Amino acid sequence: MQKEKAAKKYYTGCALCYHSCGVEVTVEDGKVVKVEGQKSHPVNKGMLCPKGETMIEHLYHPERLKYPLKKVNGEFKRISWEQAIAEIGEKFNRLKAEYGPAALAFFCGSIGVENLEMVSLSHRFKGAFGSPNFFSVESICYRMRIRARQITFGKYPVEEMDSKLYLLWGHNPDASDFPLSMAIDENMKKGAKVIVIDPRRIPLADVAEMYLTIRPGTDGALALAMMHVIINEKLYDKEFIDKWTFGFDKLVPHVQQYTPEWAEKITYIKADDIRKLARRFATTKGAAIFHGTCTQDQCANGTQNDRALSILQVLTGNINVPGGWVISPRLKLQDVSLPFPGKPLGAEEYPLFYELWGRTSPYAVMNMVPESVPSKIRAFFVAGGNPLVTMPDTNALTDAFKKLDLLIVYDQFMTETAALAHYVLPASNQLEFWGLAYNYNVCHCVPYLMLRQPVIGPYYECRSMREVYTDLAKVCGFADKFPWKEDFEVVQKELEPCSLSFDFLREHPEGAIYQEKEYTLGERSFATPSGKIEIYSQAFKDAGWEPLPVYREPDKSPQGSLWAELGAKYPLILSTGTRDFYYNGSMLHNMEHLKQRSPYPKAELGAETAIKYGVKDGDDVIVETDRGYVRMKAGVSDRIMEGVVLVPHGWPGEGNCNRLTDCNCREPIIGYPQWKGLLCSIRKA
Ligand SMILES: Nc1nc2c(c(=O)[nH]1)N[C@H]1C(S)=C(S)[C@@H](COP(=O)(O)OP(=O)(O)OC[C@H]3O[C@@H](n4cnc5c(=O)[nH]c(N)nc54)[C@H](O)[C@@H]3O)O[C@H]1N2
Ligand SMILES: Nc1nc2c(c(=O)[nH]1)N[C@H]1C(S)=C(S)[C@@H](COP(=O)(O)OP(=O)(O)OC[C@H]3O[C@@H](n4cnc5c(=O)[nH]c(N)nc54)[C@H](O)[C@@H]3O)O[C@H]1N2
Ligand code: SF4
Ligand SMILES: [Mo]
């Protein structure tokens, strides 16, 4: 007789990318047998993207790490947790005694947004150990846009998912933002419109009201010219500006130099199209600029781009109106990090990244790692990230990592970074530990919170971040700083100041809104020194930068400072990091279901450019820059701007686009990599 199986259903948040969609997980006999989208979740409304659909394959993948490993004579050897913790802890102590605590650096990947506890506890361990050096995607991804908006608004206004006019300005939701692409679909049926500004004719450009092809890295010039038109044609929202802003009077003369004709020469967009775009945007209430989660940031003009785009949103009065940008309800959580001595690497060089109005951010600048090993950093603890693929300048970073006295990687898979490590520690999967899933306000204003719960027991010897740090803390002499016996106690602690308690969320596993959105503006809406939206930024001025937005050309571009040196050999414009719908960063490239659907990395280029360089669609090609080369397949189409090559990020080995990028080619204010406007060549392999 067949044994009856007891199936149980759980709600939890998908942690395979930062959108944190709600999922319903079915468990039978201690095994996850089904994963579906959670119908009641406001972000994904019952749907899952292909990445989310591989959750079970990812969980039980044969390559998943099962045991702690130590490299002995160049080979990994299985060791016990006891041995791993004792040896690593002892090495940490020795490092501290010889070189001081700052020599041990921490890295958490973008998974940090998904695995909040991993990041919080890493900050805590780092503080207890006494190191200021915490690296993460904060110094390459969305922190710049947050910072620029904080500087401008004193708070962080965020794009609304439901808008009347979506200005997709270097953002391709069909690949990178699955919830937004569903929302756009729905809202278009109700009359919402889309405008696309992109060197690639993305799928949504086919249904857009306007599609403008732009030269990568030049978006700041377009934004300034739009301001010129909006101001000179008096299309701005005077009432809003008078009431809520500071410095408009200084902006008016400042933008006179930025005519659409000036911008045409830089962006390659016709001046008349710039006028049309400015007019259309300025005359729509409920319009939102979606400027890519980091497209506008990872270039020479990054911080100024973000300021300019914020100001455009302000000039048109599209702040705190439905469909515009809305000051995001703040999720109040208990910060479990601990104070640390000194300043993180880069605090001196990029002061606006580190400090604003006396408040500091505990993040170090990734681009500075290669120059800082071994003089300042001698060991790395990498948790949930794959910097040797995803961070700038793989060649320089790999050389630096090879010089480390100690590299530890805590991950679920043997990544490229883990392969170089001295110790590899097997990490629990999100379905095996307690955590918080919140709709991080990076790109849409949906203030939703739910618990991530362990739906199954531990996999082989995988451990949670709390377990690892708790045991290491004992060897390092600060066991008292990690008092929690169970993972859920950390979550309980985090939720102490929150409007939703741990018990409430346990009783409502489907999640809940943590704070209603507020559209009304008041005296205290803008926490800047002037109490207003700062079109003119004293913070920029004090840090030695232009207080009104300006345009800075990418260093490596046909109009850039390094063209004379590089142009003859690398005549094409390169933008790196276009998203692949089937993968997230360097993750999931070993999932069979996804490999079938996206089997290789594609270097995309236009039809005429392909003819000029002797390349056909599907050819194996070499894309090369002054930093290195990659091998990809050519994706030739008339949807790509001529003279431009677009490459995805996250692929392993010779497909890794960070072999092309340069840690010394930086945005000067915040220190981000220039990833969106570079120079390259392409040829048949
Ligand atoms: N040239 C170029 N490079 C780029 C970009 C670009 O546009 N151009 N984009 C950049 C951006 S914006 C980002 S955010 C970064 C992303 O870069 P990373 O943050 O390095 O992200 P992933 O490649 O997703 O690596 C995540 C790792 O975490 C592991 N992991 C997943 N879940 C868990 C968990 O619960 N616990 C533990 N311990 N590990 C886990 C995965 O197995 C994987 O190895 O890439 C950047 N790289
Ligand atoms: N499937 C999937 N989803 C992801 C990720 C993933 O790896 N895979 N990564 C996640 C992460 S960490 C992040 S930060 C976000 C990134 O999200 P975004 O930064 O919004 O990136 P994309 O949506 O790829 O949009 C980039 C678009 O900008 C265009 N583009 C390239 N250079 C320029 C330029 O200089 N100017 C303009 N105007 N356009 C340009 C590209 O052609 C592409 O269509 O995506 C997140 N979502
Ligand atoms: S969009 Fe992200 S969170 Fe949502 S199902 Fe896909 S991988 Fe999971
Ligand atoms: Mo990112």
Side-chain angles (χ1 to χ4, degrees):
M1 205 173 72
Q2 214 187 347
K3 200 174 134 207
E4 202 169 303
K5 288 180 180 168
K8 204 169 167 209
K9 275 200 168 198
Y10 298 86
Y11 286 115
T12 192
C14 174
L16 290 173
C17 89
Y18 62 52
H19 293 301
S20 286
C21 296
V23 289
E24 291 177 30
V25 180
T26 308
V27 177
E28 256 177 36
D29 282 350
K31 279 209 108 181
V32 176
V33 292
K34 196 170 175 189
V35 175
E36 300 157 280
Q38 178 190 331
K39 294 184 188 62
S40 61
H41 199 283
V43 166
N44 59 312
K45 301 179 175 117
M47 306 300 286
L48 285 182
C49 81
K51 302 184 291 302
E53 284 169 356
T54 60
M55 206 180 281
I56 299 177
E57 187 184 345
H58 180 249
L59 177 67
Y60 298 122
H61 197 279
E63 288 166 13
R64 189 164 160 204
L65 296 170
K66 300 183 176 77
Y67 312 105
L69 302 171
K70 176 183 180 177
K71 198 170 280 159
V72 184
N73 299 327
E75 301 272 327
F76 280 117
K77 190 179 134 223
R78 179 179 165 184
I79 57 170
S80 69
W81 270 104
E82 289 65 32
Q83 182 186 347
I85 295 289
E87 291 184 11
I88 295 167
E90 191 265 328
K91 287 182 163 58
F92 280 1
N93 290 339
R94 215 168 345 129
L95 190 82
K96 191 195 262 185
E98 265 183 61
Y99 303 103
L104 172 61
F106 293 76
F107 180 92
C108 284
S110 84
I111 199 73
V113 180
E114 296 88 284
N115 188 339
L116 181 65
E117 292 64 37
M118 182 166 73
V119 168
S120 320
L121 294 173
S122 295
H123 276 296
R124 188 174 180 87
F125 191 91
K126 166 205 79 169
F129 190 78
S131 171
N133 287 322
F134 178 90
F135 296 85
S136 70
V137 303
E138 300 283 353
S139 63
I140 55 102
C141 182
Y142 47 74
R143 175 61 46 185
M144 180 191 278
R145 60 143 55 195
I146 295 178
R147 187 52 119 205
R149 291 188 198 181
Q150 284 170 336
I151 287 170
T152 310
F153 300 93
K155 297 213 174 139
Y156 181 50
V158 185
E159 302 87 310
E160 289 232 271
M161 282 240 281
D162 297 318
S163 185
K164 288 206 187 91
L165 178 65
Y166 295 89
L167 214 62
L168 300 176
W169 195 329
H171 189 43
N172 176 21
D174 284 320
S176 73
D177 198 338
F178 165 70
L180 181 66
S181 78
M182 289 194 298
I184 292 178
D185 237 26
E186 276 308 301
N187 286 306
M188 282 189 83
K189 287 181 201 146
K190 297 182 214 151
K193 302 284 186 227
V194 170
I195 292 176
V196 172
I197 305 162
D198 201 301
R200 173 167 56 155
R201 193 175 177 97
I202 60 169
L204 276 162
D206 293 343
V207 292
E209 190 182 288
M210 281 181 91
Y211 165 55
L212 302 174
T213 315
I214 191 165
R215 171 163 74 92
T218 67
D219 301 83
L222 173 61
L224 289 165
M226 283 173 72
M227 281 183 212
H228 176 100
V229 176
I230 291 169
I231 287 177
N232 289 344
E233 297 190 7
K234 303 216 171 348
L235 298 173
Y236 52 85
D237 184 335
K238 183 166 186 317
E239 200 186 325
F240 183 88
I241 291 169
D242 288 348
K243 194 158 176 198
W244 301 114
T245 70
F246 169 78
F248 179 68
D249 56 329
K250 297 184 178 67
L251 183 69
V252 175
H254 174 75
V255 298
Q256 294 312 314
Q257 56 190 309
Y258 303 123
T259 61
E261 283 68 23
W262 165 82
E264 177 175 332
K265 292 196 198 92
I266 296 171
T267 60
Y268 306 168
I269 299 176
K270 293 256 172 300
D272 278 347
D273 286 337
I274 297 176
R275 289 196 176 86
K276 216 168 115 194
L277 168 68
R279 290 173 192 144
R280 180 68 175 94
F281 177 61
T283 49
T284 311
K285 268 285 174 296
I289 298 175
F290 284 79
H291 59 79
T293 313
C294 47
T295 311
Q296 305 307 336
D297 318 61
Q298 296 163 346
C299 59
N301 201 48
T303 319
Q304 294 285 13
N305 279 352
D306 289 346
R307 284 258 305 141
L309 294 161
S310 296
I311 292 169
L312 273 178
Q313 199 72 29
V314 169
L315 292 181
T316 57
N318 271 311
I319 300 298
N320 273 32
V321 295
W325 289 10
V326 174
I327 292 174
S328 59
R330 222 180 120 223
L331 175 61
K332 289 197 189 75
L333 293 180
Q334 179 63 47
D335 177 9
V336 299
S337 69
L338 292 168
F340 52 85
K343 289 180 179 178
L345 192 69
E348 301 295 344
E349 293 79 356
Y350 303 100
L352 268 187
F353 179 61
Y354 175 62
E355 186 172 352
L356 179 65
W357 305 318
R359 296 199 301 267
T360 57
S361 305
Y363 310 116
V365 173
M366 196 63 211
N367 266 327
M368 292 180 65
V369 170
E371 70 197 61
S372 308
V373 178
S375 59
K376 293 183 177 140
I377 292 169
R378 305 191 71 98
F380 251 100
F381 189 102
V382 173
N386 192 6
L388 293 190
V389 174
T390 58
M391 292 299 117
D393 212 330
T394 301
N395 294 317
L397 194 61
T398 306
D399 287 347
F401 268 40
K402 281 183 180 159
K403 286 187 229 146
L404 292 170
D405 295 347
L406 182 63
L407 174 60
I408 294 150
V409 173
Y410 167 72
D411 203 297
Q412 296 161 345
F413 289 91
M414 184 56 77
T415 63
E416 287 77 353
T417 312
L420 205 73
H422 300 100
Y423 293 87
V424 177
L425 305 175
S428 301
N429 179 283
Q430 60 150 119
L431 297 171
E432 296 153 1
F433 58 84
W434 286 99
L436 274 181
Y438 69 115
N439 292 97
Y440 192 75
N441 289 318
V442 166
C443 42
H444 344 103
C445 203
V446 182
Y448 203 74
L449 185 63
M450 67 193 291
L451 292 175
R452 289 215 170 91
Q453 25 177 339
V455 304
I456 47 170
Y459 181 75
Y460 293 81
E461 292 189 10
C462 293
R463 289 194 180 171
S464 72
M465 191 79 271
R466 179 200 57 84
E467 292 174 285
V468 176
Y469 283 141
T470 303
D471 290 343
L472 278 175
K474 285 179 197 143
V475 190
C476 293
F478 43 83
D480 57 315
K481 298 291 193 291
F482 284 81
W484 304 289
K485 298 272 177 286
E486 300 287 342
D487 291 338
F488 76 85
E489 294 172 45
V490 178
V491 181
Q492 249 172 347
K493 181 84 195 159
E494 285 174 321
L495 284 169
E496 270 172 13
C498 183
S499 52
L500 306 174
S501 69
F502 182 77
D503 291 343
F504 175 89
L505 288 172
R506 278 209 81 171
E507 282 157 29
H508 297 86
E510 72 286 3
I513 294 277
Y514 55 80
Q515 197 184 320
E516 287 302 332
K517 268 191 283 193
E518 259 291 343
Y519 291 102
T520 20
L521 291 172
E523 284 296 301
R524 294 169 40 168
S525 291
F526 306 109
T528 54
S530 65
K532 301 226 161 153
I533 299 170
E534 299 200 345
I535 291 175
Y536 179 94
S537 169
Q538 191 61 40
F540 262 53
K541 182 125 179 41
D542 293 346
W545 297 105
E546 305 87 349
L548 292 163
V550 295
Y551 174 67
R552 186 172 289 107
E553 178 67 25
D555 292 322
K556 298 181 179 178
S557 88
Q559 298 182 19
S561 57
L562 296 174
W563 176 254
E565 188 182 315
L566 300 174
K569 198 157 176 211
Y570 306 109
L572 293 167
I573 300 164
L574 172 71
S575 180
T576 70
T578 44
R579 265 51 186 172
D580 185 323
F581 189 38
Y582 299 101
Y583 304 106
N584 184 18
S586 72
M587 277 173 66
L588 305 175
H589 286 267
N590 49 348
M591 300 298 127
E592 280 309 319
H593 283 93
L594 301 179
K595 278 202 299 202
Q596 284 164 16
R597 294 163 89 173
S598 176
Y600 40 72
K602 251 199 229 170
E604 296 179 275
L605 70 167
E608 288 168 30
T609 310
I611 292 171
K612 188 165 169 194
Y613 292 91
V615 167
K616 289 199 201 64
D617 188 48
D619 276 354
D620 286 321
V621 286
I622 301 285
V623 179
E624 195 176 339
T625 68
D626 55 327
R627 293 297 304 145
Y629 75 93
V630 292
R631 196 181 286 269
M632 295 186 175
K633 290 255 188 224
V636 178
S637 82
D638 53 12
R639 302 182 75 88
I640 311 293
M641 185 177 193
E642 297 302 341
V644 171
V645 178
L646 300 173
V647 295
H649 81 308
W651 288 84
E654 286 189 309
N656 166 12
C657 79
N658 278 310
R659 295 159 58 121
L660 303 173
T661 64
D662 183 348
C663 63
N664 289 311
C665 189
R666 301 177 191 168
E667 190 275 350
I669 302 179
I670 296 237
Y672 267 40
Q674 292 186 29
W675 269 341
K676 302 304 185 209
L678 295 169
L679 290 170
C680 74
S681 63
I682 191 165
R683 63 176 187 274
K684 208 167 164 227

